[in-house]
Amino acid sequence: MKTLLPSSSESMASPVTPTSVSKLFHFIRHHPRSYVPVPSDSYRQRLLSMSCSSSSPTTISGNQSPPVVIKRKRTRYRKQYPGESVGITEEMRFVALRLRNVNGKKCESNDETESEKEEDEQSDGEGSGYSQNKDEETWKPSKEGLLKYLVDSKLVFDTIERIIEESEDVSYAYFRRTGLERSRNIENDLMWFKEQGYAIPEPSNPGVSYAKYLKERADQNAPLFLSHFYNIYFSHVAGGQVIVRQVSEKLLEGKELEFTRWEDNTEELLRGVREKLNTLGEHWSRDEKNKCLKETAKAFKYMGQIVRLIVL
């Protein structure tokens, strides 16, 4: 019985699979004399191409576009300010260190902004806080100058302590009765001078100007006022009390003024204020913190002017 395979025309219309191709070649090899229509050359080529394509990987046709490679944008992080990882008080401390070096001269910094340079230029020659290293020829304090200094200092401390105590701003409530308050101590010192026969002068321009500026800042912006609040106490604990003690030993025969006395450890008291201010600073924007750093330079400029009253 002869087995007939489909003709070329019929095979062209039927689907071609790897299995049918294999069966075809097997039949031809074992039944060479059977009545089998010989496929055309084009049909053979098609069979071979289909057999090869079944085992080859899929390729992208000319009409299809290659896959789009999406490059992830590299994240750029802002460079932190000196002390930023610790808190706003540490940032302000770096500003204070930059204002004056150990010799009382300006430190150069490549990271200074134009506005910071302007602040330094304004404060240059006027003193920066209590960092006053005068030689014997220029640093000649007087009792009259010490009285002016105490009077203006009392006005400044009266102002910030009254604002903190009377303000309805919630931020100020954290800094009431810190143990660092000085106005009552200075008042006792002035009473002692009065008992010794000294006339107590009226507040001078440096103290009056600074007190007015503090009131304006307290009404406008709590972070900026608290920058002054912290730096006033910080500068007095860090250097102001040292100057007052030196002047007292020289002019008052070693009498210790109450201005330089605290009931508790000053470092512990200042640390408590520092921690509270750092906690508040976590909720401030970077712009507000930058403004606080500028106010730090102004605080040391004003306090420097008041210190200079001792030798004027």
Side-chain angles (χ1 to χ4, degrees):
M1 181 178 180
K2 294 183 180 181
T3 303
L4 296 179
L5 289 178
S7 62
S8 314
S9 58
E10 292 176 350
S11 300
M12 293 294 291
S14 61
V16 180
T17 63
T19 303
S20 62
V21 172
S22 178
K23 287 182 178 181
L24 174 62
F25 283 105
H26 178 79
F27 182 87
I28 295 173
R29 187 164 54 249
H30 292 86
H31 302 83
R33 297 181 180 275
S34 300
Y35 180 72
V36 180
V38 179
S40 63
D41 292 338
S42 61
Y43 183 65
R44 288 182 178 179
Q45 291 296 329
R46 185 182 173 203
L47 292 178
L48 291 174
S49 64
M50 291 297 295
S51 177
C52 294
S53 64
S54 63
S55 60
S56 62
T58 304
T59 58
I60 300 174
S61 64
N63 296 331
Q64 293 180 339
S65 300
V68 179
V69 179
I70 301 176
K71 294 183 178 180
R72 181 176 294 180
K73 187 176 181 181
R74 187 176 179 181
T75 303
R76 294 186 178 181
Y77 296 96
R78 175 181 59 81
K79 182 180 178 181
Q80 284 194 332
Y81 284 71
E84 183 177 357
S85 59
V86 178
I88 184 61
T89 60
E90 187 70 4
E91 291 188 54
M92 291 190 289
R93 188 179 72 86
F94 272 95
V95 172
L97 291 175
R98 182 177 55 80
L99 288 174
R100 296 288 168 176
N101 62 13
V102 293
N103 296 321
K105 296 180 181 180
K106 276 201 305 183
C107 295
E108 297 296 332
S109 173
N110 295 330
D111 297 332
E112 279 187 311
T113 62
E114 292 298 325
S115 58
E116 289 174 339
K117 290 180 180 179
E118 292 178 1
E119 293 293 343
D120 289 346
E121 292 173 357
Q122 291 176 1
S123 62
D124 188 29
E126 298 175 345
S128 295
Y130 292 109
S131 181
Q132 303 290 327
N133 294 320
K134 306 288 185 179
D135 54 35
E136 290 298 325
E137 295 181 359
T138 58
W139 183 250
K140 294 182 179 180
S142 63
K143 292 181 180 179
E144 292 76 12
L146 178 60
L147 276 172
K148 291 180 181 179
Y149 165 74
L150 291 174
V151 169
D152 280 32
S153 295
K154 183 179 184 300
L155 178 59
V156 171
F157 281 101
D158 276 341
T159 302
I160 62 174
E161 290 167 13
R162 184 173 58 253
I163 291 173
I164 290 293
E165 190 65 30
E166 298 177 359
S167 176
E168 296 180 358
D169 193 306
V170 178
S171 301
Y172 299 159
Y174 294 100
F175 303 98
R176 292 172 184 166
R177 294 177 286 280
T178 62
L180 291 171
E181 291 79 13
R182 296 289 86 196
S183 58
R184 184 175 298 179
N185 298 66
I186 303 176
E187 184 178 358
N188 293 336
D189 289 333
L190 292 176
M191 289 179 60
W192 180 85
F193 273 99
K194 190 174 183 179
E195 291 173 356
Q196 304 303 312
Y198 292 94
I200 308 301
E202 293 295 323
S204 59
N205 184 63
V208 173
S209 299
Y210 195 22
K212 180 181 178 181
Y213 185 80
L214 290 170
K215 293 177 182 177
E216 294 173 353
R217 279 290 175 256
D219 294 337
Q220 296 171 358
N221 191 296
L224 301 188
F225 170 77
L226 290 175
S227 174
H228 287 269
F229 173 86
Y230 174 78
N231 282 295
I232 289 172
Y233 286 112
F234 169 75
S235 60
H236 180 61
V237 172
Q241 60 172 329
V242 177
I243 293 178
V244 174
R245 284 198 181 101
Q246 292 176 349
V247 174
S248 299
E249 291 177 1
K250 186 173 184 178
L251 300 178
L252 305 177
E253 300 178 355
K255 175 181 172 54
E256 183 182 10
L257 297 178
E258 291 191 24
F259 191 19
T260 60
R261 266 188 266 166
W262 285 267
E263 295 181 0
D264 300 311
N265 183 278
T266 55
E267 291 300 326
E268 292 294 329
L269 297 175
L270 193 61
R271 183 180 295 111
V273 174
R274 186 184 301 122
E275 291 175 353
K276 293 177 181 178
L277 190 55
N278 284 337
T279 301
L280 283 178
E282 294 176 359
H283 304 282
W284 298 346
S285 65
R286 186 64 253 177
D287 182 62
E288 288 177 316
K289 291 180 181 180
N290 290 343
K291 291 179 180 178
C292 286
L293 299 183
K294 293 181 180 180
E295 292 300 315
T296 296
K298 292 181 180 180
F300 278 87
K301 183 192 76 170
Y302 277 114
M303 296 303 293
Q305 292 175 343
I306 295 176
V307 168
R308 286 172 62 86
L309 292 173
I310 300 177
V311 295
L312 292 180

